[in-house]
């Protein structure tokens, strides 16, 4: 689309992060947070369509060109929320909006619920509620996660002979997405290595969470949001839990249901345009 994108590095007290910067310096500040095992390229098709916004599309810690967390640290949702807040502080944003996809949408919602006075808008793509545990399952789940952490040292990241093979592997794993989307994410997510290419992402990202919120806690965060919220739901997306869909009907959020899969904003230009039209309406509100 011929849109200028600036690559920036951000030195936080505990980690160095990378980001793509879009839009005019005097645009409305927006922090964009991608999904699990994605990177800042998640917004490559969407961000240029959102005129008048100053969008900082992060590589979250452990993803893309950002640093990995220190040994012994983890990747809990609340850690990402703190990262996002510190990035906003670095830019001097007292009030800002959040654009999030999947994991990024969940983190954005937690931050907006925790600090409603700081967040102007929430623009969410196929994500809102975190994965949860019933309280009685917490001990067993913590045990499973601790054992998995101990075993991580015995695992090696896969090496692919070519970029194309790495892209094909991405298409076979996790959430469905188009080859074009996988290629865009791979352009930032792969690093050359002896014998081919491997993913830059921190292997610890694939470990189970040590603890998860309960449903009651997750609902409390969502109900604590005070800003206007626009949620794009993909028809072939991930938000299908009847409990959460019923709760969504009770919330004062604007919900748009769009054709496509979980990465509808990245899969093709038509999907990106449709999502952009939804969010233009959100940001046009007084």
């Amino acid at each position: 689309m011929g849109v200028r994108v600036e690559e920036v590095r951000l030195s936080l007290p505990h980690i160095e992060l990378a980001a793509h910067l879009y839009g005019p310096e005097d645009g409305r500040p927006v922090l964009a947070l991608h999904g699990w095992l994605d990177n800042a390229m998640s917004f490559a098709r969407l961000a240029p369509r959102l005129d008048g916004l100053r969008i900082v599309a992060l590589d979250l810690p452990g993803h893309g060109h950002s640093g990995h967390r220190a040994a012994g640290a983890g990747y809990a949702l609340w850690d990402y929320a703190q990262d996002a807040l510190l990035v906003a502080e670095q830019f001097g944003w007292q009030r800002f909006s959040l654009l999030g996809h999947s994991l990024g949408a969940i983190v954005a919602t937690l931050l907006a619920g925790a600090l409603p006075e700081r967040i102007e808008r929430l623009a969410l793509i196929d994500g809102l509620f975190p994965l949860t545990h019933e309280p009685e399952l917490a001990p067993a789940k913590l045990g499973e996660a601790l054992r998995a952490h101990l075993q991580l040292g015995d695992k090696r990241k896969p090496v692919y002979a070519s970029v194309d093979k790495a892209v094909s592997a991405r298409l076979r794993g996790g959430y469905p997405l188009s080859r074009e989307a996988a290629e865009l994410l791979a352009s930032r997510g792969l690093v050359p290595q002896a014998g081919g290419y491997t993913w830059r992402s921190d292997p610890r990202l694939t470990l189970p969470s040590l603890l998860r919120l309960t449903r009651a806690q997750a609902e409390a965060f969502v109900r604590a949001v005070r800003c206007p919220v626009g949620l794009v739901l993909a028809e072939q997306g991930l938000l299908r839990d009847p409990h959460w869909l019923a709760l969504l009907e009770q919330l004062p959020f604007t919900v748009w249901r769009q054709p496509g899969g979980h990465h509808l904003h990245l899969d093709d230009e038509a999907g990106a345009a449709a999502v952009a039209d939804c969010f233009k309406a959100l940001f046009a509100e007084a």
Side-chain angles (χ1 to χ4, degrees):
M1 296 179 66
V3 174
R4 181 174 178 271
V5 181
E6 182 181 351
E7 180 81 31
V8 295
R9 304 291 300 183
L10 305 164
S11 295
L12 304 187
H14 61 297
I15 198 168
E16 184 171 279
L17 302 183
H20 280 164
L21 187 56
Y22 298 87
E25 291 187 13
D26 60 352
R28 295 174 65 174
V30 178
L31 187 59
L33 309 176
H34 61 76
W36 179 61
L37 296 182
D38 290 347
N39 54 58
M41 288 299 289
S42 179
F43 301 102
R45 282 180 154 152
L46 176 60
R49 299 176 182 274
L50 297 174
D51 296 332
L53 304 182
R54 182 66 161 175
I55 299 175
V56 176
L58 280 182
D59 284 333
L60 290 171
H63 298 76
H65 289 216
S66 285
H68 297 182
R69 296 209 192 277
Y75 289 92
L77 295 175
W78 34 90
D79 295 320
Y80 288 129
Q82 183 179 39
D83 299 323
L85 182 62
L86 289 173
V87 169
E89 289 286 293
Q90 189 161 119
F91 279 93
W93 296 348
Q94 287 304 303
R95 292 268 293 170
F96 59 99
S97 296
L98 290 162
L99 165 61
H101 169 241
S102 194
L103 167 68
I106 294 166
V107 173
T109 302
L110 294 186
L111 182 55
L115 295 176
E117 73 278 6
R118 299 291 299 268
I119 309 303
E120 290 187 344
R121 297 281 190 279
L122 274 185
L124 309 177
I125 305 168
D126 214 46
L128 176 62
F129 304 105
L131 294 173
T132 59
H133 280 160
E134 294 305 316
E136 62 271 16
L137 295 178
K141 292 297 184 180
L142 177 57
E144 291 175 12
L146 290 172
R147 285 189 286 271
H149 279 70
L150 289 176
Q151 295 167 2
L152 182 64
D154 298 329
K155 297 181 180 179
R156 293 188 177 183
K157 295 170 70 172
V159 177
Y160 303 95
S162 66
V163 171
D164 186 65
K165 289 186 181 300
V167 168
S168 295
R170 175 63 195 260
L171 290 171
R172 293 192 299 269
Y175 312 128
L177 73 168
S178 71
R179 176 165 283 273
E180 288 184 5
E183 289 172 346
L184 286 167
L185 294 171
S187 70
R188 190 168 179 83
L190 289 174
V191 61
Q193 184 169 308
Y197 298 85
T198 192
W199 297 101
R200 294 178 182 271
S201 54
D202 190 334
R204 289 177 292 175
L205 292 170
T206 63
L207 294 172
S209 300
L210 294 170
L211 287 174
R212 288 180 178 170
L213 299 176
T214 65
R215 280 195 171 188
Q217 289 172 322
E219 181 175 336
F221 275 102
V222 174
R223 289 191 180 278
V225 174
R226 294 291 175 264
C227 66
V229 179
L231 169 62
V232 173
L233 288 182
E235 289 182 352
Q236 289 80 48
L238 299 185
L239 189 51
R240 300 179 182 180
D241 186 315
H243 173 86
W244 294 132
L245 290 175
L247 175 59
L248 187 58
E249 295 294 328
Q250 305 172 25
L251 299 170
F253 297 172
T254 300
V255 179
W256 301 278
R257 288 174 168 81
Q258 295 288 337
H262 186 54
H263 286 79
L264 75 165
H265 65 299
L266 185 64
D267 279 335
D268 53 44
E269 295 295 342
V275 174
D277 287 344
C278 296
F279 290 157
K280 287 175 184 176
L282 175 69
F283 284 101
E285 293 180 11

